[in-house]
Amino acid sequence: MTRLPWAVLLLTLLGARYLSWRLSGSLNLATPLAASLSLLTLVAELVLLAGFFLQLWFTLLPERPAPAEAPVPLPAPAVDVLVPSCGEPAELVERCLRGCLAMDYPELTVWLLDDAGRPELAALCDRLGCRYLAREDHHHAKAGNLNHGLRHCHGELVAVFDADVVPLRPFLSRTVGLFSDPSVGFVQTPQSYMNADPVMRNLRLERWLLPDEESFYRWIQPTRQNLNAVVCAGTSFVMRRDALDRVGDFETATPSEDLATGIRITAAGYRNHYLSDKLSAGLAPFTAAAMARQRCRWGSGSLQTLRTGANPLRIPGLSPLQRLAYSEGILHWFGFPAQLVLLCTPLSLGLLGIAPILIGGEALVTVALPFFLSQLLLTRWLSGHTRAAILPELYRWIFLLPICSAVMSTALGRPRRFKVTPKAVTGQGPTGPDPGLLLPLLVLLVLQLLALWNLAPGRLPLLAGQGAALPVSAATLSVVLGWSLVNGLLLLLAIRSCWDRPRRDGVPWFALSLPLRLHHQGGMVPGRLQAVSATGAELSLESEADARLLEATDPLSLEGLLPDLTLPFVPMARRAGAIGGDWGALTLLQRDRLEAMLYRREGLWPTLRAPFEFRTLPLVLLRTLQRIGPEAWFRRSLIPQLPPLGALPLPRHVDPPARAGVPDRVR
């Protein structure tokens, strides 16, 4: 986490000056309607700025990093690995279970907690050597399933992975040693994804946009570590069994059982750790609608925590700063209704002739612009290069209306029912956007365009009959115009993101550059791996002559991806200087070694840096005009991986890459 006290101080001073001006010189109190809209806008700003500055100020607290290394004690404590499942594809569950069984740890029992009661999963566990549990009732969703599993296992520690998550081999050897300190209640690691989320994928921004969760795990969680207010994130964590017993197992009164249980354990006096190492990876939702459902569940579940005994404002045992940190993490969901208010603020002048904010030229230049420009320029550095200032707002805008609905219904005592996020691809062809996402965005865009039309020169006075205090200043009009244009562009991107890019299946593909050798009946051709998955690979070839040679040869085998093993390779597609193909019939050893290389090896997932935003905005805007076709050979959605240690040396005629094919935003 980047610590820039001077930047925090600068933003605090500029923010204090801005708020002083907003309270004293920018409110429009000319009419009751104008006053209501002006005060509503001010409240929305205060809600968003409160969360922003709290996070900034938390970064100034003394660091309490988790121990860098803590060896596993001897004898090693027994660990029960719980994998709750509810309808995920069997091959996905098998990938998770194989990853759990392959962890480098001596005292390990893996339990599949199957809430769908599928016989094929019971047979899978019998074949792999896992324990299988299914329950007759399905009360309390995931929390009830976990608590049912706890009644059957007796290890000193409990690790939990969602069924789509694959842990790396050193996961337990890296985390269990921290429990040598008897005061440690749980250890949380980042929740990473092995595929691009729908926002990145539908706009083909995998190289330019980081997942929304990166800022939480690399900026927010480290500050919570300093406060001993680490958030339990529902997967990829290890808990002390005694701590769970002490707080009454996993909280069942909210779908966010992870957050509530973590708060209870902290309040019980335990010290908890957050490790920043990426020690596992799961699947992001495949569609924008599925991602909206996921975010709505997070928001509703977090707010329901306030109605449980884990409410951080009331539960005994927390310090004031811990209460503040946990409460901010829950109440920040009210930032979505506040964001909706600010989205609609420019509409007030364009549709009603009322300016909710009165801005003079001097205040614009000396107060407002310095504050907002400093945020734009400093956000990337303050967040440890995990996010830029504008592009991450896409995640808010696309899901703004559904999340606002979920937040407000939960606040009014009508929380959403728990729904599992789908983890399977249901179709290959285009199915169209989800109406619940698209229609509200279209309505907002039409209103923005109508407001912009009314703000054209000579038309604004036509709205004077609405009782507005006109004329407005040139500075006010300029700000509203700029605000409306930014809103319109973000709405266009959000609308474009609603069209899910078709794909053949849910198998993730990875960007990985390695020197390889393609063997054919007449010899060997050097090449370089560009993309790889559990089903196939794409390679670039050194010359057109090599490409023509391979067109006439069959079968092929590939050397260099796995040490001491070649893989059968069946060409499926060709283009100038490149070849793509599926794996042939793999032996059990080849399949397991391939999956270990793709999903389980140490040092697999890189730490990425958000690119400088003003370089990427033109490209992003271009995406709104481009037709983005379905995933196919040489047009895949790719997530970068770091190359394995001890990769095959470069062939003589292949130039070494600058950084083994890892994009320049990888740190």
Side-chain angles (χ1 to χ4, degrees), residues 84-88 112-119 121 132-149 151 251-255 257 417-420:
S85 171
C86 188
E88 295 87 355
L112 177 64
L113 312 179
D114 181 18
D115 240 6
R118 291 182 287 175
L121 293 189
Y132 176 86
L133 279 178
R135 53 182 182 147
E136 295 182 0
D137 67 81
H138 304 287
H139 297 313
H140 307 305
K142 180 180 176 181
N145 196 11
L146 288 170
N147 288 338
H148 177 256
R151 292 196 290 271
E251 176 67 59
T252 59
T254 169
E257 80 293 327
R417 292 182 58 189
F418 178 87
K419 292 183 179 180
V420 176

Side-chain angles (χ1 to χ4, degrees), residues 373-395:
L373 286 177
S374 63
Q375 289 185 70
L376 286 174
L377 296 173
L378 292 175
T379 295
R380 181 168 173 264
W381 286 273
L382 285 166
S383 66
H385 299 275
T386 63
R387 60 168 293 150
I390 298 176
L391 283 183
E393 293 303 308
L394 268 176
Y395 288 95

Side-chain angles (χ1 to χ4, degrees), residues 9-268:
L9 177 61
L10 175 63
L11 282 171
T12 300
L13 293 175
L14 291 174
R17 189 165 177 239
Y18 174 78
L19 289 177
S20 175
W21 166 74
R22 285 286 282 119
L23 292 168
S24 62
S26 69
L27 297 178
N28 184 352
L29 306 178
T31 66
L33 179 58
S36 299
L37 293 174
S38 191
L39 290 172
L40 181 62
T41 302
L42 175 63
V43 170
E45 279 193 87
L46 291 175
V47 169
L48 293 171
L49 289 175
F52 175 71
F53 278 110
L54 271 179
Q55 176 58 24
L56 280 187
W57 295 335
F58 284 154
T59 64
L60 298 178
L61 295 171
E63 287 194 79
R64 188 183 73 89
E69 287 291 341
V72 175
L74 295 176
V79 178
D80 289 300
V81 179
L82 306 184
V83 180
S85 171
C86 188
E88 295 87 355
E91 61 272 15
L92 186 150
V93 176
E94 180 175 358
R95 186 168 70 201
C96 171
L97 295 178
R98 287 185 179 276
C100 293
L101 290 167
M103 286 189 289
D104 182 18
Y105 193 77
E107 295 292 327
L108 176 67
T109 305
V110 178
W111 301 77
L112 177 64
L113 312 179
D114 181 18
D115 240 6
R118 291 182 287 175
E120 62 269 28
L121 293 189
L124 172 66
C125 289
D126 185 62
R127 175 162 53 88
L128 295 179
C130 303
R131 304 287 183 89
Y132 176 86
L133 279 178
R135 53 182 182 147
E136 295 182 0
D137 67 81
H138 304 287
H139 297 313
H140 307 305
K142 180 180 176 181
N145 196 11
L146 288 170
N147 288 338
H148 177 256
L150 288 177
R151 292 196 290 271
H152 293 80
C153 58
H154 306 286
E156 298 174 53
L157 302 174
V158 174
V160 176
F161 299 100
D162 286 344
D164 61 292
V165 174
V166 182
L168 303 191
R169 193 167 185 270
F171 183 95
L172 289 178
S173 60
R174 181 70 182 86
T175 54
V176 167
L178 301 180
F179 289 89
S180 299
D181 179 354
S183 69
V184 173
F186 70 86
V187 175
Q188 178 68 56
T189 68
Q191 184 175 356
S192 303
Y193 292 125
M194 63 178 72
N195 62 320
D197 65 46
V199 179
M200 301 162 61
R201 185 172 169 272
N202 294 344
L203 292 173
R204 292 186 62 191
L205 294 178
E206 294 91 344
R207 290 186 58 200
W208 308 105
L209 182 65
L210 294 190
D212 199 28
E213 293 76 20
E214 285 282 312
S215 61
F216 175 76
Y217 287 107
R218 286 167 48 193
W219 186 27
I220 295 175
Q221 279 279 50
T223 63
R224 302 307 192 257
Q225 165 83 6
N226 298 337
L227 291 165
N228 190 30
V230 174
V231 176
C232 181
T235 185
S236 306
F237 65 87
V238 185
M239 278 185 175
R240 189 182 298 277
R241 179 61 187 265
D242 287 348
L244 272 172
D245 293 340
R246 184 172 173 182
V247 301
D249 297 340
F250 290 96
E251 176 67 59
T252 59
T254 169
S256 292
E257 80 293 327
D258 45 3
L259 171 64
T261 304
I263 292 173
R264 286 186 178 276
I265 289 176
T266 304

Side-chain angles (χ1 to χ4, degrees), residues 269-413:
Y270 289 94
R271 296 177 64 83
N272 307 305
H273 286 307
Y274 170 70
L275 290 183
S276 60
D277 299 351
K278 293 186 176 184
L279 297 173
S280 65
L283 289 176
F286 290 122
T287 66
M291 193 170 183
R293 178 192 298 184
Q294 181 192 64
R295 299 303 171 93
C296 289
R297 186 182 74 241
W298 290 352
S300 180
S302 296
L303 292 174
Q304 287 179 65
T305 303
L306 298 175
R307 300 178 183 271
T308 71
N311 183 340
L313 297 173
R314 296 197 313 250
I315 188 172
L318 296 180
S319 70
L321 281 178
Q322 288 172 325
R323 294 186 192 279
L324 185 61
Y326 281 127
S327 299
E328 187 278 329
I330 294 172
L331 297 175
H332 95 279
W333 289 98
F334 285 109
F336 285 89
Q339 192 89 10
L340 180 59
V341 170
L342 294 183
L343 168 62
C344 297
T345 295
L347 302 178
S348 177
L349 182 59
L351 300 181
L352 302 176
I354 297 174
I357 304 176
L358 300 179
I359 306 174
E362 182 180 355
L364 175 63
V365 173
T366 62
V367 179
L369 282 179
F371 178 49
F372 287 108
L373 286 177
S374 63
Q375 289 185 70
L376 286 174
L377 296 173
L378 292 175
T379 295
R380 181 168 173 264
W381 286 273
L382 285 166
S383 66
H385 299 275
T386 63
R387 60 168 293 150
I390 298 176
L391 283 183
E393 293 303 308
L394 268 176
Y395 288 95
R396 280 182 175 265
W397 287 60
I398 295 168
F399 311 119
L400 188 60
L401 273 299
I403 292 178
C404 283
S405 176
V407 166
M408 298 312 297
S409 64
T410 304
L412 295 174

Side-chain angles (χ1 to χ4, degrees), residues 401-465:
L401 273 299
I403 292 178
C404 283
S405 176
V407 166
M408 298 312 297
S409 64
T410 304
L412 295 174
R414 296 190 296 273
R416 299 292 180 87
R417 292 182 58 189
F418 178 87
K419 292 183 179 180
V420 176
T421 303
K423 295 293 184 181
V425 174
T426 56
Q428 298 180 18
T431 57
D434 181 80
L437 287 179
L438 180 63
L439 293 180
L441 294 173
L442 287 175
V443 170
L444 287 173
L445 180 62
V446 169
L447 292 176
Q448 289 286 352
L449 294 176
L450 181 59
L452 279 171
W453 171 253
N454 286 334
L455 291 173
R459 293 191 54 83
L460 190 58
L462 299 178
L463 299 173

Side-chain angles (χ1 to χ4, degrees), residues 205-210 218 380 384-385 511 513 606-613 615-616 619 638-643 657-667:
L205 294 178
E206 294 91 344
R207 290 186 58 200
W208 308 105
L209 182 65
L210 294 190
R218 286 167 48 193
R380 181 168 173 264
H385 299 275
S513 181
T607 298
L608 306 177
R609 297 163 65 98
F612 187 59
E613 196 157 46
R615 288 175 47 209
T616 61
L619 172 69
L638 301 175
I639 292 296
Q641 286 189 344
L642 291 174
R659 182 67 206 287
V662 179
D664 59 4
R665 63 174 181 153
V666 177
R667 179 166 54 189

Side-chain angles (χ1 to χ4, degrees), residues 434-518:
D434 181 80
L437 287 179
L438 180 63
L439 293 180
L441 294 173
L442 287 175
V443 170
L444 287 173
L445 180 62
V446 169
L447 292 176
Q448 289 286 352
L449 294 176
L450 181 59
L452 279 171
W453 171 253
N454 286 334
L455 291 173
R459 293 191 54 83
L460 190 58
L462 299 178
L463 299 173
Q466 302 289 335
L470 295 173
V472 297
S473 69
T476 299
L477 184 58
S478 299
V479 168
V480 173
L481 279 171
W483 198 338
S484 295
L485 287 172
V486 171
N487 284 352
L489 290 174
L490 285 172
L491 280 171
L492 283 173
L493 282 171
I495 289 169
R496 181 64 187 82
S497 299
C498 292
W499 269 265
D500 293 308
R501 192 178 176 199
R503 64 187 303 161
R504 184 176 66 178
D505 54 40
V507 177
W509 280 72
F510 309 110
L512 181 62
S513 181
L514 288 174
L516 300 175
R517 297 180 178 124
L518 273 171

